[in-house]
Amino acid sequence: MPKITTVSDLLASYQAGEREFQGSQLSRALLRGLALVDVDLRGANLNGADLSEGDLTRANLSQSYLRGADLEAVDLEAADLSGAKLREVILTGARLYKSRLQEADLSGAILRKTNLQEADLQRACLWGASLRGAQLQGANLTGAALCGTNLWMSDLNQADLQGANFDKADLSNADLTTAHLWQAQLAGAYYNHHTRFPVGFDPEALGMQVLWE
């Protein structure tokens, strides 16, 4: 399998029917708007790359490096991003329906209006991430860290969390003031006294556990 270092080599090999490019070095590559369906880029270095508006349906990006990459409006349906390094990545308006993001590092990521319906985010790190307006219906967030700090809160305002599983998820310093929490599975989730909930919301009544400071 070729380890690609240039966009032209990647495209030529992909068009020739090659799909496996594990460990390729494509940091800051300009791949905007490209269709790379079923591509295998496990462990590839894509830090700072521009993959926005592309089609990466069913792509394998597990254990890949995508820090600061631009993935705005990209289609990642059913893609594997488990263990990927996605710190500060831009995923605004992206489609990650039924994607795999177990143990992915999404610290500081921008996930505004991102489609994460039925995505697997078990044990993912979303520290300080912006999920404003994200669609998380049916997502699995078991053990996920959605915590922040007093100055940099994780933003889940206007996010649709219907049916999402937050068992053992950490929501300390998270802002859920206008989040849609109907039928969200919050029993067993953690919060602290800085977590912001909708007016009248009673976390203890739903089985959430407070973390004392």
Side-chain angles (χ1 to χ4, degrees):
M1 68 190 75
K3 286 190 177 181
I4 299 298
T5 58
T6 68
V7 174
S8 58
D9 286 346
L10 173 65
L11 293 178
S13 297
Y14 185 85
Q15 290 167 2
E18 180 64 52
R19 294 293 180 269
E20 298 186 11
F21 307 103
Q22 296 98 312
S24 291
Q25 299 296 312
L26 290 161
S27 61
R28 302 192 180 280
L30 298 177
L31 297 160
R32 183 183 179 90
L34 295 181
L36 296 169
V37 176
D38 293 313
V39 71
D40 188 341
L41 285 161
R42 279 174 287 177
N45 181 357
L46 291 155
N47 288 330
D50 184 353
L51 294 149
S52 59
E53 300 181 8
D55 186 354
L56 290 163
T57 303
R58 298 184 303 277
N60 190 338
L61 291 158
S62 61
Q63 304 298 327
S64 58
Y65 298 83
L66 286 148
R67 180 166 185 167
D70 187 350
L71 294 163
E72 182 173 0
V74 72
D75 192 343
L76 283 158
E77 179 178 345
D80 187 352
L81 291 136
S82 54
K85 311 302 185 291
L86 294 151
R87 293 176 66 91
E88 301 167 8
V89 72
I90 299 170
L91 279 159
T92 304
R95 189 168 187 266
L96 289 105
Y97 175 66
K98 289 191 174 181
S99 60
R100 297 177 57 190
L101 289 147
Q102 306 100 311
E103 300 183 358
D105 184 356
L106 288 148
S107 305
I110 307 299
L111 295 141
R112 295 177 188 143
K113 297 184 178 179
T114 302
N115 184 342
L116 287 156
Q117 295 181 59
E118 298 184 38
D120 190 344
L121 288 145
Q122 293 184 76
R123 300 177 301 281
C125 179
L126 290 144
W127 185 89
S130 176
L131 289 148
R132 179 177 288 264
Q135 301 171 52
L136 285 151
Q137 301 97 312
N140 188 351
L141 291 133
T142 300
L146 295 110
C147 45
T149 68
N150 289 338
L151 298 177
W152 190 12
M153 302 185 79
S154 293
D155 184 3
L156 286 100
N157 281 297
Q158 300 172 25
D160 191 336
L161 308 175
Q162 180 179 343
N165 185 356
F166 286 91
D167 183 37
K168 296 182 177 62
D170 188 350
L171 290 159
S172 303
N173 295 88
D175 189 352
L176 298 103
T177 305
T178 60
H180 305 292
L181 296 169
W182 187 65
Q183 291 188 338
Q185 301 174 48
L186 290 161
Y190 302 101
Y191 71 101
N192 66 2
H193 292 297
H194 298 292
T195 303
R196 298 177 184 173
F197 293 107
V199 175
F201 183 84
D202 186 350
E204 289 188 18
L206 290 175
M208 297 183 69
Q209 302 180 49
V210 64
L211 292 174
W212 298 101
E213 300 172 348

